[in-house]
Amino acid sequence: MRALVLGLVLVFLFACQKKEDYIKVSCPSEKQLVEVLKKFNPELYIKIEKVQQFEKVPLCEVELWAGARYAILYTDPKAKYLFPTAFDASTGENVSAKKVSQQKNLPKDILEQFEKHVNFVVGDGKDYIYLITEPKNEKAEETYKNLLQWAKEKNMKIKIIVRPEDFNIEGYNTAISALCKKQSFDQMLKGYYDASADCKEGRATLDKNMKFVNAQMGLTFPNPIIITSNGKLWIGQLNKDQFEALLK
């Protein structure tokens, strides 16, 4: 509904001004925009990429990262109102959707945050990928086995972030036992919950990973999640051709 309202507003604005004449506006600062957006989701990581006047309309276009997801929105010069999208009145094209569809790679500063949550490194080589996964998840384990083979062929490392999904209680408990016993990731996949191997450090590690991936990065999708070293994001299982394409 809000998108429709903005579309109608833009139609009106374009219709009421001459082509050679338009109102120039000063856009809100990045700091101001972050403060406004944090009101909706205090935990979500917000990085403003660019703020500029939108075409010849007295609105500002904001390019940003909402966690690990690239987004575009529109606001008035005082950042009092936010609009999720804009339509070209002459063509009916969704302008913001077109830009977002051109998928940007995750920037370096966001990738560095994932690095802080790596629990295991499997394989050798200079190049690497991040794998967000969990034990007791057949699809995630199958993807890991495939990645092991493909990464070996490419001489790549797999940097593993253990993020149990909310409903996977068995996987959460199994991961705690493995972390507390300081076992390898392969041992974690084969293991089970051991009540005698339950430590605060293990729980804290998993809880931080879950908060980081789910709340701060906004990746609430099921495992597995793959991120390449140059910032390409893939969610779910994949075949070898798709893996090859990710690395290009």
Side-chain angles (χ1 to χ4, degrees), residues 113-233:
Q113 293 187 54
F114 281 93
E115 186 68 28
K116 297 175 184 178
H117 292 267
V118 171
N119 305 113
F120 303 96
V121 178
V122 179
D124 300 303
K126 182 179 179 181
D127 295 326
Y128 61 89
I129 57 172
Y130 293 106
L131 173 64
I132 300 173
T133 187
E134 64 189 326
K136 309 307 175 184
N137 179 326
E138 291 184 7
K139 291 183 178 180
E141 289 185 31
E142 182 182 347
T143 297
Y144 169 66
K145 291 176 183 177
N146 290 335
L147 288 174
L148 271 180
Q149 178 184 341
W150 303 336
K152 186 176 182 180
E153 294 172 4
K154 298 288 185 181
N155 192 30
M156 298 178 66
K157 290 182 287 194
I158 303 175
K159 296 186 176 185
I160 299 169
I161 298 173
V162 181
R163 187 282 305 251
E165 295 175 37
D166 292 337
F167 59 84
N168 189 359
I169 304 302
E170 184 183 6
Y172 180 88
N173 290 332
T174 299
I176 287 176
S177 295
L179 289 172
C180 295
K181 290 180 179 179
K182 301 188 184 304
Q183 294 180 328
S184 68
F185 182 65
D186 286 323
Q187 288 174 317
M188 178 184 288
L189 293 181
K190 297 175 183 176
Y192 294 92
Y193 176 58
D194 181 352
S196 66
D198 190 329
C199 59
K200 291 182 179 179
E201 294 80 4
R203 287 184 178 274
T205 295
L206 291 184
D207 291 346
K208 286 179 182 177
N209 284 359
M210 293 169 71
K211 180 179 179 180
F212 170 70
V213 175
N214 297 347
Q216 296 176 335
M217 290 294 109
L219 295 175
T220 55
F221 310 99
N223 292 321
I225 299 172
I226 298 163
I227 303 172
T228 66
S229 58
N230 63 350
K232 289 184 180 179
L233 176 68

